[in-house]
Amino acid sequence: MPVCGLSRLISQTIVCARVTGVDLILVWTEGSAVACERLCPHEQADLARGHLSGERLFCPRHAASFDLRTGRISYGWPYRTLRIYPTRIDDEQVWIDATVVNSRAI
């Protein structure tokens, strides 16, 4: 399903989206669109309020960051990885497969 216009994502860098009842963020980094869960796995901080450095997304509540290629949390934090969802760009839209979001949201 289409979730965001490509030009909007490029201009805003981080955009909130909701796919089949699951809150996500889309991030424009290193020339690609990345979709991930919106809440930090540690304390459920809103990652849409975080900041981006290269391919790392930093939580606004603590100093942990996530690799947007793998979802891995920075060294020293014993929490699960950030859920990353595959995206594709077609017809100037960022698309996400809703069935994948539903299967990983648990």
Side-chain angles (χ1 to χ4, degrees):
M1 69 183 291
V3 291
C4 181
L6 180 59
S7 60
R8 177 180 174 210
L9 179 59
I10 291 170
S11 69
Q12 293 181 359
T13 309
I14 298 176
V15 173
C16 298
R18 189 167 179 89
V19 175
T20 62
V22 178
D23 288 320
L24 307 175
I25 57 173
L26 299 170
V27 181
W28 184 254
T29 179
E30 306 291 320
S32 328
V34 176
C36 65
E37 63 186 299
R38 183 171 175 177
L39 299 180
C40 177
H42 174 224
E43 292 182 349
Q44 288 66 57
D46 185 355
L47 292 173
R49 304 182 103 192
H51 73 275
L52 190 63
S53 179
E55 291 184 329
R56 297 204 70 83
L57 178 62
F58 287 80
C59 178
R61 188 170 297 155
H62 51 66
S65 66
F66 299 91
D67 184 322
L68 290 174
R69 295 166 297 186
T70 64
R72 287 193 180 159
I73 195 167
S74 50
Y75 180 77
W77 293 92
Y79 298 96
R80 69 169 173 77
T81 60
L82 187 68
R83 290 183 183 106
I84 304 290
Y85 303 97
T87 62
R88 70 180 168 89
I89 297 171
D90 188 27
D91 197 27
E92 295 299 310
Q93 292 285 317
V94 180
W95 293 69
I96 297 176
D97 185 339
T99 58
V100 173
V101 171
N102 285 335
S103 69
R104 292 186 187 171
I106 301 170

